Amino acid sequence: MSTRNSAPPTQRSIKASVSVMEPVAAPKGSTSPLLANMWREIQGSNNWEDLVEPLNPLLRNEIIRYGELVNACYKAFDINPSSKRYLNCKYGKKSVMREVGMEDCGYRVTKYIYATPDISIPTQNGTCCSRWIGYVAVSTDDEVRRLGRRDIIVTFRGTITNTEWIANFMSSLTPARLDPNDQRPDVKVESGFLSLYTSDDSTCKFGNGSCREQLLSEVSRLITQYKDEEVSITMAGHSMGSSLGLLLAYDIAELGLNRHESMEAIPITVFSFGGPRVGNSSFKERCEELGVKVLRIVNVNDPITKLPGVFLNENFRVLGGRYELPWSCSCYAHVGVEIALAYFTVQNPSCVHDLDAYIGLLKNPERVPVESGAPDLLHMAREFLSAQKLDTWAWEYAARNVGNLVQSLRT
């Protein structure tokens, strides 16, 4: 078994502009030996050194590709209250990619994933609290030749249901304790995200166990199935989904499921679109020690990326660059390398968090409106939350918790 004996270099936070691009790489359908040869660098083996500023065209195409695989979750999610599949996937695993217009995506869906938070609140009508959250897929043989390896991908949609919105605003930190043999009480994560990841709804006819149990079982099965091939594990998610992706990445690495006696550790990469903070500084440091790579694509005007930890975050742990403050263990911290985009329009403030806007800016940066002047973030956050159509109780709860955020964004 080949593993690192020391922690990898600290992952940097890089503000990369996408306003100026190199020529676009070969389209997905064409042969791309360059991608096959440098896929490890694209997946962050060197923390994306020299790839984000300026943004490498191969990396840009891969970010877009993973973003579109996440977008498939939204396209397939049933939001029709009269449907039998309300708040679940509209299509079967074999047909979902065709139905959402991505038949040639190069992946085969192997499992649907369901999740529910352990929160007692009024919820949308439905047979159970567990909702379809995303899917696990594996690259086809043809795609393997293009990518240079077998890619196991787990994609997660963002927040839609009431319980998910409340989970987003449960900003207290709690020990993750995902490894029963080494619980690491100093490694803490946001309690709402952990609840979504670990809670089980036994009444749901679709899900079988918690989101965590479903995912670890399926990813382990695929790792075993392709143990004789070169494999990568990729998580891609938007908003809350990126948080679940990071929790899964940490979980797999902490349990050592990506390591075999006869081979190097399988690389684990998270592509996060508009993701919030997930854990404290100890969580960040542990992810880095385990070699989990995270690329955060962030709209600088997106208020969700400022949550949680508006006041207690990575910027307020050390005084004068020398003295660690007493509350540093309770400070939230982003993980990984950041690519900063800029998108804002007065006509529709909630679009600052929209995944289509993220993808559109990456595809055509010169065509996406970025209006001059600093946006009114108080108004923007209010409009954003209003657009989510929360029930009254849930809205009031969320509004109270986001108050500190919008006030701090004004300063």
Side-chain angles (χ1 to χ4, degrees):
M1 177 172 64
S2 174
T3 57
R4 291 185 177 90
N5 294 321
S6 60
T10 301
Q11 297 184 35
R12 303 150 296 143
S13 177
I14 296 178
K15 311 292 185 180
S17 170
V18 297
S19 58
V20 179
M21 293 285 181
E22 299 291 334
V24 178
K28 180 187 174 306
S30 66
T31 302
S32 181
L34 184 58
L35 177 58
N37 291 336
M38 64 175 298
W39 69 266
R40 289 184 179 275
E41 290 82 359
I42 295 296
Q43 293 292 110
S45 64
N46 296 324
N47 294 326
W48 294 280
E49 187 79 35
D50 300 324
L51 293 178
V52 298
E53 194 173 0
L55 187 57
N56 178 278
L58 279 177
L59 177 58
R60 187 188 74 147
N61 282 357
E62 286 298 277
I63 294 171
I64 292 170
R65 186 173 68 87
Y66 283 121
E68 290 175 337
L69 287 168
V70 175
N71 219 13
C73 294
Y74 289 109
K75 294 177 181 178
F77 194 62
D78 194 339
I79 57 174
N80 179 7
S82 62
S83 171
K84 292 182 179 180
R85 288 182 172 268
Y86 179 49
L87 299 182
N88 286 292
C89 186
K90 294 184 282 189
Y91 315 112
K93 293 192 294 292
K94 293 183 179 180
S95 63
V96 61
M97 288 305 179
R98 181 180 69 251
E99 295 289 349
V100 301
M102 296 182 63
E103 187 173 10
D104 298 326
C105 69
Y107 286 81
R108 173 177 58 87
V109 176
T110 65
K111 188 173 183 62
Y112 282 166
I113 304 301
Y114 301 82
T116 183
D118 185 17
I119 301 171
S120 298
I121 66 166
T123 60
Q124 288 103 329
N125 294 331
T127 58
C128 64
C129 292
S130 189
R131 307 301 184 201
W132 185 71
I133 200 78
Y135 61 87
V136 182
V138 64
S139 54
T140 63
D141 291 344
D142 287 342
E143 188 72 353
V144 167
R145 286 186 284 272
R146 192 186 75 87
L147 297 176
R149 86 282 186 188
R150 183 78 62 176
D151 190 31
I152 299 169
I153 182 172
V154 186
T155 68
F156 300 91
R157 63 167 174 81
T159 309
I160 294 180
T161 71
N162 288 347
T163 50
E164 292 163 3
W165 272 108
I166 299 306
N168 281 5
F169 293 109
M170 292 174 62
S171 59
S172 60
L173 284 165
T174 187
R177 301 184 188 278
L178 295 178
D179 183 355
N181 298 317
D182 189 356
Q183 295 197 357
R184 296 182 180 273
D186 57 319
V187 175
K188 298 180 180 182
V189 296
E190 200 253 21
S191 59
F193 299 145
L194 185 64
S195 174
L196 272 170
Y197 185 60
T198 59
S199 297
D200 183 11
D201 180 8
S202 60
T203 67
C204 183
K205 63 181 180 180
F206 296 110
N208 182 18
S210 67
C211 173
R212 182 195 185 204
E213 292 167 339
Q214 297 166 56
L215 287 166
L216 293 182
S217 174
E218 181 63 8
V219 171
S220 296
R221 184 186 72 82
L222 292 172
I223 290 173
T224 300
Q225 180 176 344
Y226 299 106
K227 65 180 184 300
D228 297 325
E229 300 184 25
E230 201 160 23
V231 174
S232 63
I233 302 173
T234 306
M235 287 72 177
H238 173 236
S239 189
M240 172 197 71
S242 67
S243 303
L244 294 176
L246 181 51
L247 282 175
L248 173 61
Y250 163 72
D251 200 3
I252 291 172
E254 190 70 270
L255 295 176
L257 300 181
N258 64 321
R259 294 188 287 273
H260 294 281
E261 293 183 0
S262 59
M263 63 176 65
E264 292 185 13
I266 297 172
I268 301 175
T269 306
V270 181
F271 288 88
S272 166
F273 297 86
R277 296 182 181 94
V278 176
N280 65 353
S281 56
S282 294
F283 174 73
K284 172 184 181 293
E285 291 163 3
R286 185 57 180 160
C287 285
E288 292 172 352
E289 291 173 2
L290 292 168
V292 173
K293 305 300 180 179
V294 182
L295 187 63
R296 299 176 49 249
I297 299 88
V298 173
N299 180 355
V300 296
N301 295 315
D302 185 349
I304 296 302
T305 62
K306 312 296 190 297
L307 283 169
V310 176
F311 298 109
L312 296 179
N313 57 53
E314 60 269 22
N315 298 316
F316 296 94
R317 291 182 59 237
V318 179
L319 180 63
R322 297 177 58 188
Y323 304 105
E324 189 164 331
L325 297 171
W327 54 79
S328 61
C329 62
S330 298
C331 289
Y332 279 92
H334 275 305
V335 181
V337 174
E338 177 179 300
I339 293 178
L341 313 178
Y343 173 87
F344 176 72
T345 173
V346 172
Q347 286 74 19
N348 191 0
S350 65
C351 277
V352 295
H353 190 60
D354 184 72
L355 181 57
D356 279 326
Y358 272 75
I359 295 173
L361 181 55
L362 287 162
K363 286 181 175 180
N364 300 294
E366 71 282 358
R367 297 181 183 177
V368 178
V370 182
E371 299 182 6
S372 60
D376 182 347
L377 291 173
L378 176 62
H379 174 74
M380 183 173 64
R382 185 186 296 118
E383 289 292 317
F384 175 79
L385 288 173
S386 299
Q388 308 315 312
K389 300 180 180 178
L390 299 177
D391 289 346
T392 301
W393 187 92
W395 157 254
E396 291 175 351
Y397 187 99
R400 286 196 299 271
N401 282 275
V402 83
N404 286 338
L405 166 68
V406 296
Q407 290 295 338
S408 66
L409 288 176
R410 297 183 70 183
T411 61

